[in-house]
Amino acid sequence: MARDWSPINFETRLRRLDGVYRWFQFRGNPARDREGRIARWYCLMTVVDDRRREEDAL
């Protein structure tokens, strides 16, 4: 059964090797071939830690 993957967008916290957590936004878009199958994903991960801390402070 084929799954219809659509673009993804979410925020998550990841822990660095030194134990500090940082917030990241992850975005991904599937690139499809001529038959409509996913050939690859294009992804972007952005640090949004400062923005999240400011939002929490409000």
Side-chain angles (χ1 to χ4, degrees), residues 9-45:
N9 183 8
F10 64 91
E11 291 185 4
T12 188
R13 282 180 40 180
L14 299 175
R15 189 173 65 170
R16 299 187 319 196
L17 291 175
D18 62 1
V20 175
Y21 283 90
R22 303 269 299 179
W23 280 100
F24 290 86
Q25 179 184 39
F26 183 84
R27 294 185 221 176
N29 282 316
R32 299 183 184 277
D33 61 15
R34 292 179 188 257
E35 288 80 34
R37 298 176 299 206
I38 296 176
R40 66 185 54 88
W41 280 87
Y42 291 100
C43 301
L44 174 67
M45 186 183 275

Side-chain angles (χ1 to χ4, degrees), residues 42-58:
Y42 291 100
C43 301
L44 174 67
M45 186 183 275
T46 307
V47 178
V48 294
D49 196 67
D50 292 338
R51 179 184 53 84
R52 290 293 297 246
R53 289 179 192 269
E54 290 174 9
E55 289 173 354
D56 290 344
L58 291 177

